[in-house]
Amino acid sequence: MAAQLTPGAVLRIYKDDTSGHPILQVVDLKKIQNNSVTATSDRYRLMLSDGHHLCQSMLGTQLNSKVLSHELQQHCIVRLNDFVCNTISGRKIIIILSLDVLNGPVPVIGSPEKLDPTSQTPTPSVSRTDTAATAAATAAAAHQPPYPMAAASNGMNGTSKQHPSTPTSTHTQANSRTPPDRFGSTLTRGGSSAVSRTPSSSTLYPIKALNPFQNRWTIKARVTSKTDLKSWSNAQGRSGKVFSVDLLDSEGGELRGTFFSEAADKFFGILQVDKVYTFSKGTLKPANRQYSTLNNEWDCVFDQHTEIVLVPDEGDIQKMKFSFIPIASLSQQEPNSTVDIIGVVHAYTAVSSIMIKSSQQERLRRTVTLLDQSRSSIELTIWGDKAQSLESSLENHPIFAIKGARVTDYNGRSLSTINSSYIELNPDLPESIQLRAWYDNEGRTESVSSLSAAANKSVAGHSNQRKTLSQIKDENIGAEDKPVWFTTKVTVTYIKHDADRPIWYMACPTEGCNKKVMEQSDGWHCESCQKSYPDAEPRYILSISANDATGTAWFNGFNDVGLSILNKSARELKEYKDMNDMNSYEATFADAVFRTYTFNVRAKLDAYMDDKRVRLNIMNATPIDFVQESRTLIEEINRYSTM
């Protein structure tokens, strides 16, 4: 039996009474043709009925999935959970932000007719949604667009926090012209301008209800991230400064805000990450996916007339909103898309610098390998100062929660941070607790599939799978121009340590440089940094012979690998040798051999003079967990038995 429609709901909505959750029937549903080149998603128009009257509505783009999945169809019964009402060209239009489908298609209930809007006089209401709807309608009517734009997508999958009967607490502003940099003294709320706003009519808009046809609104949001202040210039000779912030409100709506020139100078020092502010007087425009990673089709440009007021943090806005996807699913993501990922740091490289061709500037970078319960790994490149600041946090395999990482097709699939990316270490989230338990109990030693080496199947014929030492030779792994990644289980049998050739080199002590330095009479000089130092840092450069049941091979290992295998730093071994403590020196190597590891290896053809050979560089060395290794072998045996 179909749910009973709410009598008189359309009439009450036309009188700006948007309280409650009316049950209505969808008597018509049409996709709107949108020829705008900036359109990022389809829009749907609905004709709703309460059994007596009809009203037009627009479906928020975050609800498009309900149409595409055929959950929402013509003649079905719905309950409106969250909506606003705008006046567009003299017509009342409902913008639906959240709804539930109660029944599938049923015959049209009653004989609904269109309500004559000219005979209705909207009555003012003190509820949050009523005032917001009236303000939106007034602003929209002034622009007179042909039809309203749907509410912005907010990544809530059609759900939202509901406050049907509890109005938002009202904080008034003693002087509506108070400059926005006078923080803490007043709290501004309202949808009107500074000139016309009155304390009795001020209210807050949810971010997801904003659209370009509203020019009078105020939102309350937390600054979840903030970019650096950068300079820009264009071909016309114009230049200035710019920075951006990501905003999050209590209903989960997200918005990218950008400040240019005078506004950048005015607000950069004021806005702080994790603080809560009210924002008004901004201009909405289609989101630029090159810079915005948020699930919102609109960005906002704030200018020097924008009003921003610091307000008390009442705890109603979460610190950050994530929409995690499994690492394994990244193989299906389009390059240049942005994703939220949570993973444990399984391995990492040292900080290095790279010259950016477009700007001819050096940038720091670090690569970490992330794992999750999907038993897949992916490489994440962290850029800028963040790459260096994480140094002390990586040793204990922290969990990274990353918002807005960019997917690239480098080495198959990999991730990269961008200016707006946000990384939280060991977040207090259920996903983090589950991931930590999995990694500590089994994930640390499990065989995983690396997405970042998937491209090697097409370019070199090999994937990041386990290989025996005989297979490396028989299959000519690494003999082509492109490098190949694989794993192998081996036992270290010898580490080369000739008396006349140290197993380390003297490196620049500047963190992130690691370049070889030249000894001088008064210390050490780094050509890369163009600096001299009284001391240098020894770093490993190893040649390791390892065996498995099929053969022997030589591998190269660097500082991180040396620390894992020798369990001592290169400086400690250098001190043994300098003090002629050869017993301790030799004992270090004796303790390190005849231990079994899983090596993650990069094989690449190397040419020196006329001699070409494949170099096997160990990227990561992990001691074997024999219990887990036994399980892996049993799985392999069972797999062969079913073939």
Side-chain angles (χ1 to χ4, degrees):
M1 177 180 292
Q4 183 177 0
L5 304 184
T6 304
V10 172
L11 183 58
R12 287 197 295 274
I13 293 173
Y14 268 45
K15 290 185 177 182
D16 293 328
D17 179 2
T18 53
S19 61
H21 306 285
I23 296 175
L24 304 170
Q25 183 176 25
V26 180
V27 297
D28 192 26
L29 190 157
K30 290 183 179 180
K31 179 179 176 181
I32 293 177
Q33 183 69 30
N34 194 334
N35 296 321
S36 171
V37 295
T38 61
T40 57
S41 57
D42 296 327
R43 294 186 173 88
Y44 294 91
R45 182 179 64 192
L46 285 70
M47 186 69 73
L48 301 177
S49 164
D50 62 6
H52 298 281
H53 297 108
L54 299 170
C55 61
Q56 290 192 50
S57 67
M58 294 289 296
L59 191 68
T61 53
Q62 71 271 20
L63 302 178
N64 282 1
S65 60
K66 290 183 178 291
V67 178
L68 298 176
S69 66
H70 303 293
E71 179 186 0
L72 179 59
Q73 302 181 50
Q74 188 172 340
H75 297 159
C76 69
I77 307 298
V78 299
R79 178 177 57 225
L80 305 188
N81 296 324
D82 198 2
F83 59 97
V84 295
C85 189
N86 285 357
T87 300
I88 307 297
S89 300
R91 296 180 300 164
K92 292 285 188 179
I93 304 291
I94 300 173
I95 298 179
I96 303 172
L97 305 175
S98 174
L99 62 77
D100 292 327
V101 178
L102 303 181
N103 289 97
V106 297
V108 175
I109 300 174
S111 301
E113 299 178 349
K114 289 185 178 180
L115 190 65
D116 182 7
T118 60
S119 64
Q120 307 303 323
T121 304
T123 57
S125 173
V126 296
S127 74
R128 175 187 65 82
T129 311
D130 297 348
T131 310
T134 305
T138 303
H143 289 273
Q144 293 187 351
Y147 53 84
M149 306 295 281
S153 171
N154 69 346
M156 297 288 286
N157 296 324
T159 62
S160 64
K161 192 177 293 185
Q162 301 169 18
H163 307 281
S165 58
T166 305
T168 307
S169 59
T170 304
H171 300 258
T172 59
Q173 183 173 353
N175 183 352
S176 62
R177 295 181 180 272
T178 300
D181 53 353
R182 292 179 57 184
F183 295 101
S185 59
T186 57
L187 172 58
T188 305
R189 292 196 180 190
S192 58
S193 67
V195 175
S196 61
R197 178 170 57 247
T198 60
S200 61
S201 63
S202 61
T203 188
L204 296 177
Y205 268 61
I207 286 176
K208 62 185 176 181
L210 300 180
N211 64 67
F213 303 132
Q214 297 166 279
N215 58 2
R216 298 178 179 181
W217 45 260
T218 298
I219 59 173
K220 174 185 171 185
R222 185 185 303 278
V223 177
T224 58
S225 70
K226 174 184 172 184
T227 66
D228 296 331
L229 185 65
K230 294 187 175 183
S231 299
W232 62 270
S233 60
N234 59 24
Q236 288 73 39
R238 298 179 59 191
S239 62
K241 298 177 180 178
V242 62
F243 79 97
S244 298
V245 295
D246 289 345
L247 306 177
L248 175 67
D249 71 6
S250 61
E251 298 192 11
E254 297 177 286
L255 183 68
R256 162 60 61 91
T258 304
F259 299 77
F260 291 97
S261 302
E262 294 90 346
D265 290 329
K266 181 176 181 179
F267 293 113
F268 183 78
I270 291 174
L271 292 174
Q272 300 179 41
V273 174
D274 204 35
K275 297 292 186 181
V276 179
Y277 304 84
T278 57
F279 298 80
S280 58
K281 294 187 177 180
T283 303
L284 294 174
K285 64 184 186 70
N288 186 337
R289 292 304 175 195
Q290 181 179 356
Y291 303 106
S292 178
T293 63
L294 304 182
N295 192 10
N296 192 333
E297 62 178 313
W298 308 114
D299 287 345
C300 188
V301 176
F302 295 109
D303 59 26
Q304 66 270 31
H305 302 298
T306 293
E307 293 186 358
I308 301 176
V309 180
L310 177 68
V311 299
D313 187 349
E314 299 171 343
D316 57 335
I317 304 176
Q318 61 192 100
K319 299 291 184 180
M320 177 62 70
K321 178 185 175 184
F322 295 97
S323 299
F324 297 126
I325 63 173
I327 290 177
S329 69
L330 291 174
S331 61
Q332 308 301 320
Q333 296 290 324
E334 290 295 325
N336 295 322
S337 62
T338 54
V339 295
D340 296 352
I341 287 292
I342 186 168
V344 61
V345 176
H346 185 62
Y348 61 93
T349 66
V351 174
S352 60
S353 61
I354 185 173
M355 181 67 69
I356 305 300
K357 292 182 179 180
S358 58
S359 61
Q360 290 300 304
Q361 294 180 344
E362 283 194 354
R363 289 193 68 189
L364 298 177
R365 67 173 179 178
R366 181 197 296 275
T367 300
V368 300
T369 302
L370 301 177
L371 307 180
D372 72 359
Q373 296 98 316
S374 66
R375 290 169 173 76
S376 297
S377 70
I378 194 165
E379 290 185 354
L380 167 72
T381 301
I382 304 171
W383 294 92
D385 294 338
K386 191 71 172 177
Q388 199 161 14
S389 64
L390 291 170
E391 179 73 35
S392 60
S393 306
L394 297 174
E395 295 181 359
N396 297 320
H397 301 284
I399 290 174
F400 277 12
I402 308 154
K403 183 174 184 64
R406 176 155 291 167
V407 179
T408 74
D409 54 4
Y410 177 73
N411 287 339
R413 278 291 183 274
S414 59
L415 297 174
S416 176
T417 61
I418 55 179
N419 287 336
S420 58
S421 298
Y422 170 84
I423 300 177
E424 184 173 348
L425 272 67
N426 299 316
D428 186 14
L429 297 171
E431 295 92 340
S432 178
I433 297 171
Q434 296 167 9
L435 182 57
R436 170 57 63 196
W438 170 79
Y439 185 76
D440 290 345
N441 293 328
E442 53 183 303
R444 186 190 299 265
T445 56
E446 277 197 359
S447 297
V448 298
S449 173
S450 174
L451 302 185
S452 297
N456 295 319
K457 273 194 172 181
S458 59
V459 299
H462 303 285
S463 63
N464 190 37
Q465 55 185 298
R466 181 173 290 190
K467 296 289 184 180
T468 64
L469 297 185
S470 63
Q471 286 177 311
I472 297 173
K473 297 177 181 178
D474 295 343
E475 299 177 15
N476 290 322
I477 294 177
E480 301 180 17
D481 292 335
K482 297 288 185 178
V484 177
W485 285 259
F486 62 90
T487 63
T488 185
K489 185 189 73 172
V490 295
T491 299
V492 174
T493 55
Y494 181 70
I495 302 172
K496 192 173 183 180
H497 55 289
D498 298 339
D500 58 342
R501 186 174 182 180
I503 60 171
W504 56 79
Y505 71 97
M506 302 306 292
C508 176
T510 300
E511 188 174 4
C513 179
N514 301 330
K515 298 294 177 63
K516 187 176 181 179
V517 293
M518 302 297 294
E519 188 173 10
Q520 298 179 329
S521 58
D522 58 347
W524 304 85
H525 181 73
C526 177
E527 290 290 339
S528 177
C529 298
Q530 286 298 305
K531 292 181 181 179
S532 295
Y533 304 93
D535 194 12
E537 184 66 27
R539 293 180 64 85
Y540 283 122
I541 178 167
L542 302 177
S543 291
I544 299 171
S545 177
N547 290 51
D548 67 4
T550 67
T552 303
W554 282 92
F555 298 86
N556 301 307
F558 298 96
N559 200 61
D560 291 341
V561 173
L563 290 171
S564 298
I565 294 178
L566 294 171
N567 289 316
K568 283 185 171 61
S569 68
R571 181 173 290 280
E572 290 178 275
L573 288 187
K574 183 176 184 299
E575 289 174 353
Y576 288 154
K577 200 166 187 181
D578 291 344
M579 295 185 297
N580 202 29
D581 185 0
M582 299 310 294
N583 289 334
S584 298
Y585 185 77
E586 290 293 340
T588 302
F589 295 97
D591 290 341
V593 296
F594 301 109
R595 298 180 183 273
T596 305
Y597 297 86
T598 297
F599 285 173
N600 294 104
V601 182
R602 178 178 183 266
K604 189 176 186 302
L605 188 65
D606 185 48
Y608 180 74
M609 304 294 287
D610 293 329
D611 183 26
K612 292 185 178 181
R613 61 177 179 172
V614 175
R615 295 178 64 89
L616 304 177
N617 292 329
I618 307 169
M619 310 308 294
N620 186 50
T622 306
I624 286 291
D625 181 329
F626 288 97
V627 173
Q628 182 58 42
E629 180 67 15
S630 298
R631 292 173 182 160
T632 301
L633 291 175
I634 291 172
E635 291 177 1
E636 290 292 329
I637 292 171
N638 292 336
R639 190 175 298 118
Y640 278 111
S641 65
T642 59
M643 294 177 63

